[in-house]
């Protein structure tokens, strides 16, 4: 069976379905159709070229734009049958209207026919793009495609690479949709005219922009374009709930396209080249300041993937293989060892932490120093440091901490263990400050675990501050005696408040252990499921609070009339609004007896109604809400379990990336020690700052002149840097320049100038 016969059969099949949505006008005209036109259209359908030419010639030639019962013209039938010869004959006729023939040719992917159609004089450049519907004649609205489907949009929808490239070379383009909150005149007109058509126009445009063919042919950085478009589509899915599934499908399409691109890499060098790719803005800034280093492993593209939550891309085997090799750098053969050997080696390395830290402070560039800067060793030592901190908290919370009579002292001095905790907390604070400085505020607050660290450290700092205030007040002899029974202490004593905050901080400290679960393939998915369940619990608590408030107000309104008739010792369950909340809450756990809700000397109807409300509350809370919460948590757990590997690898990558960057090598409290390397970096920064000031003064004194006249023209800072390098360092290669960074300003100095300045500063 030939291809044309298959197409013809498909055309007949479609003709049986189309009359459901077919307009009635062609049916009425078809009854009075001329015999010659019918023969002409049948010849086009059969591909009879000679009959078609004979019908088009002569004095009584047929109308080339006549249509059949389905409203299809001869050129549309010829395009649908992919008959290139008949299309060429029909295009030579005067007054031929192409109509949907171009769209049919694009849909079928016939490059030759598309090229012939767009070369026709009736097809202008504007018709290939967004003005397709505006340039068509009245009454030519297609029954197969909406008005906003232009040739280039349809080519993108169908992923016709060759045809799309042809249209782009001819000058066709797709206009970016305006923002959803745009209030320009054009958007307002479209919304007032037809809001549904305006929404469909945006959807069809985003479908074209999310097409792999369009991204591949138009974007200089396809992976970055896919990341950004996927992020935009996710935001639109949250704002336009009516088309949420459509936008989410397009977002997933962009994510899959990025994964398909990384899947084309065949070597580690290609993967590194892809993951090291920076955005145009970052690359331009680095080139402006002259800090481009192609050999440095920055993983800028992978950081963007984490930022835009491209979980499939990050969890791709190529990315994970590279991350794993970087993570275990400096530890060859680590993954091949068994679990017992790994555990014993970790214990041995942890016991050597003090000696390794001292050695690193003295010799930071040695082989051991390079080993300590590896991501795995940094993670191991930071985790061990936090484990020691938790052990100190346990010791302080038990009788190991010191005097058993300490509970009588107000504003006590810190014990030895408490001083250790102060040192550890100070080291943690310094570590968070450095992280905030390196990542920036937006990237820092984007991670929820940083919020947990911030709350935990804030509580510890508040505890230390209150302990200091209590100590100063007691020493000043203006706040009562130092030793007294706790029952006689003031209600808002700083020591009492500090102890309360310290207890809450301990809870947050031990909860932070869950963060380390992300490194384990068994505990990681459970930790992710727990985080999703916490979101479900927050939603549930909002609904539960509304139900609790409604019953608390109703029962309080029923009981408060009998508040004066109660005798001493009777339960005050619902006589105040606060007690109503407390009683209803604890009753969920079976801690409220039925006798507590009875009214002393109350009326029968009041007790009966109170009993019915109490029963209705338990039925609503225990049977409906609790089971709804269980169902929500089960659904969240199942969703994570269905994609457990991808979710865990994405979260583990976020954890690993925090240890890939340079800095924060030593854990707390060893990071508080000022190392010679820190002094060297400080002197180098001062050197760069002084040189910057000196060079800026020289620039002000020496103003360049224009070669054409004597007018002074402003010259950019980049030009100044280039001229200064050329004038002060003739014959010095770029590799001989030492590049420094001071508050975002990059300076280049020759090695000889750098040595002279450093020696002078050391002497001073």
């Amino acid at each position: 069976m030939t291809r044309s016969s298959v197409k013809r059969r498909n055309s007949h099949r479609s003709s049986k379905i189309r009359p459901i949505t077919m307009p009635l006008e062609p049916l009425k005209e078809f009854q009075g159709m001329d015999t010659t036109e019918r023969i002409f259209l049948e010849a086009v359908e059969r591909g009879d070229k000679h009959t078609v030419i004979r019908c088009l010639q002569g004095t009584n030639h047929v109308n080339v734009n006549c249509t059949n019962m389905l409203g299809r013209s001869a050129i549309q039938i010829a395009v649908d049958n992919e008959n290139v010869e008949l299309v060429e004959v029909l295009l030579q006729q005067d007054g031929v209207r192409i109509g949907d023939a171009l769209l049919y040719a694009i849909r079928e992917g016939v490059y030759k026919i598309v090229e012939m159609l767009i070369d026709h004089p009736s097809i202008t450049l504007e018709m290939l793009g967004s003005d397709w519907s505006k340039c068509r004649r009245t009454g030519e609205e297609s029954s197969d495609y909406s008005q906003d489907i232009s040739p280039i949009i349809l080519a993108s929808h169908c992923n016709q690479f060759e045809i799309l490239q042809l249209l782009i070379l001819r000058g066709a383009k797709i206009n970016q949709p305006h923002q959803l909150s745009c209030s320009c005149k054009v958007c307002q007109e479209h919304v007032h005219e037809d809001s549904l058509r305006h929404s469909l126009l945006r959807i069809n445009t985003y479908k074209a922009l999310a097409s792999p063919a369009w991204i591949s042919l138009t974007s200089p950085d396809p992976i970055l374009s896919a990341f950004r478009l996927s992020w935009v589509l996710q935001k639109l899915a949250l704002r336009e709930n009516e088309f949420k599934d459509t936008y989410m499908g397009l977002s997933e399409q962009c994510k899959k396209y990025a994964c398909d691109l990384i899947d084309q890499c065949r070597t580690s060098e290609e993967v590194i080249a892809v993951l090291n790719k920076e955005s145009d803005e970052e690359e331009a800034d680095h080139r402006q300041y002259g800090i481009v280093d192609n050999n440095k492993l920055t993983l800028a593209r992978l950081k963007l993937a984490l930022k835009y939550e491209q979980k499939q891309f990050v969890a791709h085997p190529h990315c994970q293989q590279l991350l794993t090799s970087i993570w275990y750098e400096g530890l060859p053969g680590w993954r091949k060892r068994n679990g017992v050997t790994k555990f014993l080696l970790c214990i041995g390395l942890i016991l050597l932490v003090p000696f390794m830290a001292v050695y690193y402070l003295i010799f930071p560039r040695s082989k051991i120093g390079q080993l300590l800067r590896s991501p795995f060793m940094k993670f191991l030592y930071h985790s061990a440091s936090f484990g020691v901190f938790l052990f100190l908290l346990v010791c302080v919370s038990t009788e190991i901490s010191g005097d058993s009579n300490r509970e009588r002292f107000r504003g006590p001095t810190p014990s030895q263990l408490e001083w250790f905790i102060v040192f550890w907390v100070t080291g943690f604070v310094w570590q968070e400050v450095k992280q905030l400085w390196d990542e920036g505020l937006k990237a820092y607050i984007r991670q929820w675990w940083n919020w947990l660290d911030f709350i935990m450290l804030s509580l510890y700092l508040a505890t230390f501050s209150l302990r200091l205030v209590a100590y100063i007040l007691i020493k000043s002899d203006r706040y009562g005696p130092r030793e007294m029974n706790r029952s006689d202490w003031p209600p808002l004593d700083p020591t009492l408040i500090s102890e309360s905050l310290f207890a809450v901080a301990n809870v947050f400290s031990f909860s932070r252990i869950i963060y380390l679960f992300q490194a384990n393939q068994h505990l990681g998915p459970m930790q992710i499921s727990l985080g999703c369940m916490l979101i479900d619990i927050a939603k549930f608590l909002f609904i539960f609070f509304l139900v609790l408030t409604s019953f608390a107000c109703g029962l309080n309104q029923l009981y408060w009339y009998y508040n004066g008739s109660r005798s001493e010792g009777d339960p005050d369950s619902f006589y105040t609004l606060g007690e109503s909340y407390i009683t209803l809450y604890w009753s969920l756990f079976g801690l409220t007896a039925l006798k507590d809700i009875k009214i002393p000397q109350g009326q029968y109807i009041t007790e009966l109604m109170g009993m019915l409300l109490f029963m209705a509350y338990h039925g609503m809370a225990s049977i409906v809400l609790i089971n709804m919460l269980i169902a929500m948590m089960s659904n969240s757990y199942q969703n994570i379990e269905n994609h457990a590997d991808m979710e865990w690898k994405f979260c583990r990558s976020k954890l690993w990336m925090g240890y890939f960057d340079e800095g924060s090598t030593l854990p707390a409290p060893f990071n508080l020690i000022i190392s010679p390397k820190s002094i060297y970096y400080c002197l180098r920064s001062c050197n760069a700052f002084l040189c910057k000031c000196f060079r800026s003064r020289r620039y002000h004194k020496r103003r360049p002149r224009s070669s054409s006249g004597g007018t002074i023209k402003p010259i950019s800072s980049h030009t100044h840097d280039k001229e200064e390098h050329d004038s002060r360092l003739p014959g010095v290669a770029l590799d001989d320049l030492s590049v420094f960074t001071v508050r975002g300003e990059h300076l280049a100095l020759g090695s000889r100038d750098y040595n002279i300045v450093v020696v002078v500063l050391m002497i001073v």
Side-chain angles (χ1 to χ4, degrees):
M1 184 180 295
T2 61
R3 185 176 182 182
S4 59
S5 61
V6 173
K7 294 297 298 179
R8 194 174 299 110
R9 175 173 295 183
N10 294 336
S11 175
H12 289 310
R13 290 179 180 175
S14 62
S15 64
K16 298 178 182 179
I17 302 175
R18 287 183 181 177
I20 298 177
T21 58
M22 184 182 60
L24 296 179
E25 287 300 325
L27 277 176
K28 297 178 181 179
E29 296 178 358
F30 182 76
Q31 296 177 358
M33 182 181 296
D34 187 79
T35 306
T36 310
E37 293 181 354
R38 181 177 302 180
I39 295 174
F40 169 69
L41 293 176
E42 291 178 354
V44 174
E45 182 73 29
R46 295 193 310 268
D48 191 352
K49 180 179 179 181
H50 299 287
T51 305
V52 171
I53 295 176
R54 187 171 59 252
C55 292
L56 293 174
Q57 294 176 354
T59 55
N60 297 327
H61 60 84
V62 299
N63 183 12
V64 70
N65 296 318
C66 63
T67 58
N68 61 3
M69 184 179 62
L70 301 179
R72 302 168 66 206
S73 62
I75 192 170
Q76 293 177 3
I77 297 174
V79 169
D80 199 15
N81 292 334
E82 302 181 11
N83 196 320
V84 180
E85 295 181 356
L86 283 183
V87 172
E88 186 177 3
V89 171
L90 294 173
L91 288 177
Q92 295 175 359
Q93 307 302 315
D94 296 334
V96 61
R97 292 199 297 266
I98 294 178
D100 287 348
L102 178 56
L103 300 180
Y104 293 160
I106 294 174
R107 181 186 63 187
E108 301 300 331
V110 187
Y111 181 86
K112 180 63 177 178
I113 296 180
V114 172
E115 187 176 17
M116 293 167 56
L117 293 176
I118 64 176
D119 287 338
H120 194 266
S122 61
I123 302 297
T124 60
L125 174 61
E126 292 77 11
M127 295 181 65
L128 300 178
S130 58
D131 293 338
W132 168 256
S133 59
K134 298 179 182 179
C135 297
R136 300 180 65 177
R137 300 181 182 180
T138 307
E140 285 190 359
E141 184 172 356
S142 172
S143 58
D144 295 331
Y145 300 100
S146 59
Q147 292 183 353
D148 50 278
I149 300 296
S150 61
I152 191 169
I153 288 182
L154 183 61
S156 300
H157 288 181
C158 300
N159 279 322
Q160 301 289 354
F161 279 84
E162 295 182 354
I163 296 176
L164 184 58
Q165 185 178 15
L166 174 64
L167 296 176
I168 293 174
L169 292 177
R170 296 299 174 90
K173 60 181 180 179
I174 300 176
N175 296 328
Q176 291 281 347
H178 293 189
Q179 294 184 359
L180 193 61
S181 58
C182 179
S183 59
C184 65
K185 184 178 180 181
V186 177
C187 293
Q188 290 181 352
E189 290 179 355
H190 289 174
V191 171
H192 289 309
E193 181 180 355
D194 193 338
S195 59
L196 177 60
R197 175 169 289 184
H198 178 63
S199 298
L200 293 178
L201 171 62
R202 293 175 56 85
I203 290 176
N204 289 323
T205 304
Y206 276 117
K207 281 183 179 179
L209 296 176
S211 167
W214 174 262
I215 299 177
S216 302
L217 293 175
T218 59
S219 176
D221 193 343
I223 295 181
L224 179 60
S225 301
F227 286 172
R228 291 176 174 174
L229 184 58
S230 173
W231 183 256
V232 171
L233 291 171
Q234 283 185 353
K235 298 301 180 183
L236 288 174
L238 297 177
R239 299 187 62 182
E240 285 196 278
N241 296 324
E242 300 81 5
F243 306 99
K244 180 178 181 180
D245 293 339
T246 303
Y247 282 120
M248 290 303 297
L250 293 177
S251 178
E252 292 297 325
Q253 177 179 324
C254 294
K255 294 178 181 179
K256 185 179 182 301
Y257 171 73
C259 292
D260 293 339
L261 290 181
I262 193 65
D263 196 39
Q264 300 300 318
C265 297
R266 300 181 180 180
T267 62
S268 300
E269 295 181 358
E270 294 179 357
V271 176
I272 294 175
V274 172
L275 299 184
N276 257 16
K277 176 67 176 176
E278 297 180 343
S279 61
D280 296 338
E281 296 82 3
E282 296 175 347
E283 188 173 358
D285 293 341
H286 291 173
R287 290 188 181 278
Q288 179 182 358
Y289 295 118
I291 58 173
V292 179
D293 188 2
N294 296 327
N295 297 325
K296 185 179 180 181
L297 193 63
T298 60
L299 300 179
R301 184 52 43 86
L302 188 62
K303 294 178 181 178
L304 279 179
L306 294 172
K307 174 183 177 182
Y308 291 121
E309 297 183 358
Q310 303 293 317
K311 298 182 180 180
Q312 298 178 6
F313 184 87
V314 176
H316 194 276
H318 292 359
C319 297
Q320 291 298 311
Q321 194 273 340
L322 178 63
L323 291 179
T324 305
S325 61
I326 300 174
W327 180 255
Y328 294 106
E329 183 181 5
L331 299 171
W334 175 267
R335 301 182 64 187
K336 299 179 181 179
R337 303 179 186 274
N338 54 35
V340 178
T341 306
K342 291 180 180 179
F343 177 77
L344 295 177
L345 286 177
C346 289
I347 296 298
L349 291 174
I350 291 173
L351 295 177
L352 293 176
V353 170
F355 307 101
M356 301 281 276
V358 173
Y359 188 85
Y360 177 79
L361 291 173
I362 301 175
F363 306 104
R365 299 298 180 182
S366 61
K367 292 184 178 180
I368 296 180
Q370 295 177 1
L371 177 63
L372 292 180
R373 286 198 299 269
S374 63
F376 177 76
M377 294 297 295
K378 290 166 64 175
F379 172 75
L380 179 64
Y381 282 167
H382 282 76
S383 301
S385 173
F386 192 76
V388 175
F389 174 69
L390 296 181
F391 177 75
L392 293 176
L393 293 179
V394 173
C395 294
V396 169
S397 302
T398 58
E399 295 182 357
I400 304 176
S401 57
D403 189 6
S404 59
N405 297 325
R406 192 178 178 184
E407 68 272 4
R408 296 175 53 86
F409 294 106
R410 302 170 61 197
T413 57
S415 62
Q416 294 182 356
L417 291 177
E418 289 177 342
W419 277 116
F420 279 116
I421 292 178
V422 171
F423 292 146
W424 249 270
V425 171
T426 306
F428 290 149
V429 171
W430 176 240
Q431 181 178 328
E432 292 297 319
V433 169
K434 293 177 65 176
Q435 182 182 355
L436 179 60
W437 177 265
D438 294 335
E439 297 181 359
L441 181 60
K442 291 184 178 180
Y444 182 83
I445 64 178
R446 196 180 295 119
Q447 301 180 19
W448 290 103
W449 293 106
N450 289 335
W451 286 91
L452 178 63
D453 293 337
F454 177 79
I455 296 174
M456 178 188 71
L457 297 177
S458 300
L459 291 173
Y460 280 120
L461 293 179
T463 300
F464 301 156
S465 302
L466 289 171
R467 288 284 297 272
L468 180 61
V469 170
Y471 179 78
I472 294 175
L473 290 177
I474 294 300
K475 284 297 182 179
S476 63
D477 295 332
R478 292 180 299 177
Y479 200 63
R482 180 186 181 189
E483 184 178 357
M484 59 188 303
N485 293 327
R486 280 185 172 260
S487 58
D488 300 330
W489 288 16
L492 298 179
D493 190 279
T495 305
L496 295 177
I497 301 176
S498 66
E499 292 173 352
S500 302
L501 295 180
F502 187 71
V504 178
N506 288 350
V507 175
F508 279 97
S509 299
F510 281 90
S511 300
R512 195 182 181 277
I513 303 178
I514 304 176
Y515 174 71
L516 303 178
F517 288 175
Q518 299 179 14
N520 186 270
Q521 59 180 347
H522 303 292
L523 300 177
M526 296 181 61
Q527 183 265 333
I528 301 170
S529 302
L530 179 61
C532 295
M533 290 178 185
L534 292 178
I535 299 176
D536 293 335
I537 293 175
K539 298 177 183 177
F540 165 78
L541 289 178
F542 177 75
I543 301 176
F544 176 73
F545 178 75
L546 296 179
V547 175
L548 184 66
T549 301
S550 61
F551 282 96
C553 293
L555 290 170
N556 180 52
Q557 178 66 26
L558 193 64
Y559 275 67
W560 77 276
Y561 295 103
Y562 300 91
N563 191 16
S565 61
R566 291 188 304 114
S567 59
E568 186 177 357
D570 292 336
D572 51 351
S573 300
F574 301 109
Y575 297 100
T576 61
L577 185 60
E579 290 296 333
S580 299
Y581 276 109
I582 295 174
T583 304
L584 291 177
Y585 176 77
W586 289 116
S587 65
L588 285 177
F589 307 97
L591 301 179
T592 302
L594 291 178
K595 63 180 181 179
D596 296 338
I597 64 175
K598 291 185 177 181
I599 305 175
Q601 301 178 1
Q603 296 295 332
Y604 172 76
I605 184 65
T606 305
E607 290 186 356
L608 178 61
M609 186 56 63
M611 185 68 68
L612 291 176
L613 287 177
F614 197 62
M615 293 170 59
Y617 164 74
H618 274 276
M620 176 66 70
S622 302
I623 299 177
V624 179
L625 293 181
I626 298 298
N627 287 294
M628 182 186 69
L629 175 62
I630 295 174
M632 292 171 59
M633 297 172 66
S634 300
N635 185 41
S636 299
Y637 178 80
Q638 190 62 41
N639 291 335
I640 297 299
E641 188 66 22
N642 293 337
H643 308 88
D645 186 68
M646 181 184 67
E647 296 286 346
W648 168 66
K649 288 180 179 178
F650 179 78
C651 292
R652 185 186 66 172
S653 301
K654 294 174 66 176
L655 172 67
W656 283 2
M657 290 299 295
Y659 295 92
F660 283 173
D661 296 332
E662 297 181 359
S664 300
T665 303
L666 296 180
F670 297 102
N671 59 345
L672 298 177
I673 303 175
I674 301 178
S675 62
K677 184 180 69 173
S678 302
I679 300 175
Y680 167 73
Y681 285 156
C682 180
L683 293 176
R684 195 176 70 172
S685 300
C686 295
N687 167 32
F689 178 74
L690 293 176
C691 293
K692 176 178 178 294
C693 297
F694 177 72
R695 292 174 60 194
S696 62
R697 292 181 60 184
R698 291 186 58 186
Y699 290 149
H700 286 294
K701 292 180 179 180
R702 186 184 65 181
R703 294 185 176 181
R705 296 181 176 272
S706 175
S707 58
S708 57
T711 7
I712 300 176
K713 296 183 179 180
I715 300 178
S716 63
S717 59
H718 181 66
T719 308
H720 279 293
D721 293 342
K722 183 177 180 181
E723 290 181 0
E724 183 67 15
H725 295 164
D726 295 340
S727 60
R728 294 181 63 239
L729 303 172
V732 179
L734 183 62
D735 297 336
D736 296 332
L737 299 178
S738 302
V739 180
F740 305 99
T741 305
V742 182
R743 297 183 181 274
E745 299 292 337
H746 305 276
L747 307 175
L749 297 176
S751 57
R752 184 183 62 181
D753 296 341
Y754 165 75
N755 294 330
I756 294 175
V757 175
V758 168
V759 170
V760 171
L761 287 175
M762 293 296 291
I763 294 175
V764 173

